[in-house]
Amino acid sequence: SDPSSAAFLLVAATLMPGSEVTAHKLLLNPTRTGFIQVMQRMGAKIAIQTSKNSGLGAECIGSATAGHCASLQATTIEPEQVPTLIDEVPILALLACAARGQTRFKAVGELRVKESDRLAAIIAGLVALGFEAWEEGDDLLVEGQPTEFLATLASADKTRLLATHGDHRLAMTWAIAELISGQQLNIENRACVAVSYPGFYTDLQQLQEDAK
């Protein structure tokens, strides 16, 4: 039901050829779902369906379905949208690696004071995977490699450490990169995902088994 947790699975489906994932009973409060708007703006195939009877009072509940998209476009995330997706910046940055053009996350300096310095860690991790990412002031920039995205992940150096600094959102992002790469990567402290999503790895495994 948590949008921030569902975002990782929806992005994974967008990036994985042949994939489709539906997140059910999802909180659709607009203050928590900015990442969906960004994904749609980038061209992701994501459909939203609201439920009439949510059982949660005035909160809007529904489902989100995402499927693989091979033609993503870069976008700019403006400062006013950042509060609606601050926890999803790491996984959206990975998504931006597969988009054509340069994606800019404006005014995300808050990432420096999250569970870790997420801004520095996102950049270090993406560079370790073979992508181009850097900061300009409080902005995060990612240069997409749409035609080489899958090959870049598949050839990522398995010995390079993907640091999490105990940050669950970083661990989840690198786990999605690992899933897409098809190889085991050197991810620090994988278990820290339990802070927000104890069943994350179990759900990833189940999705893969369901696809067979």
Side-chain angles (χ1 to χ4, degrees):
S1 298
D2 174 36
S4 295
S5 295
F8 291 82
L9 303 181
L10 295 172
V11 170
T14 300
L15 294 174
M16 282 282 287
S19 295
E20 183 176 273
V21 167
T22 298
H24 296 286
K25 298 181 181 179
L26 184 67
L27 176 66
L28 295 174
N29 187 312
T31 66
R32 297 289 311 283
T33 55
F35 77 91
I36 293 177
Q37 296 175 26
V38 171
M39 291 179 68
Q40 290 174 327
R41 203 159 66 232
M42 294 176 76
K45 299 175 182 177
I46 181 165
I48 307 299
Q49 185 173 0
T50 58
S51 301
K52 292 183 178 180
N53 299 311
S54 69
L56 292 177
E59 290 285 9
C60 183
I61 302 294
S63 64
T65 300
H68 176 242
C69 181
S71 56
L72 297 168
Q73 297 293 326
T75 190
T76 297
I77 292 85
E78 299 293 344
E80 59 269 21
Q81 194 172 22
V82 169
T84 71
L85 51 74
I86 192 67
D87 285 339
E88 294 79 64
V89 171
I91 193 63
L92 288 175
L94 181 64
L95 184 69
C97 292
R100 187 173 304 281
Q102 189 179 100
T103 294
R104 180 184 288 265
F105 298 81
K106 290 185 176 181
V108 290
E110 180 186 341
L111 290 171
R112 295 191 178 97
V113 291
K114 298 296 282 184
E115 286 86 337
S116 66
D117 183 345
R118 278 187 191 165
L119 185 55
I122 290 168
I123 293 169
L126 293 181
V127 170
L129 290 170
F131 299 109
E132 295 182 53
W134 66 98
E135 59 183 295
E136 291 182 359
D138 283 339
D139 293 359
L140 167 64
L141 291 92
V142 179
E143 188 69 38
Q145 301 178 20
T147 57
E148 298 89 13
F149 175 73
L150 294 174
T152 298
L153 279 181
S155 62
D157 185 348
K158 293 184 290 184
T159 66
R160 292 192 66 172
L161 179 67
L162 294 173
T164 67
H165 308 288
D167 188 328
H168 54 139
R169 302 303 183 193
L170 291 172
M172 293 165 72
T173 298
W174 307 144
I176 296 301
E178 178 179 66
L179 174 71
I180 299 166
S181 76
Q183 60 178 335
Q184 185 171 348
L185 301 177
N186 186 16
I187 301 173
E188 174 197 31
N189 191 6
R190 296 168 180 266
C192 68
V193 300
V195 169
S196 61
Y197 194 164
F200 178 67
Y201 295 117
T202 300
D203 287 351
L204 276 186
Q205 182 63 37
Q206 186 62 56
L207 285 167
Q208 292 178 79
E209 292 177 0
D210 290 346
K212 293 178 181 178

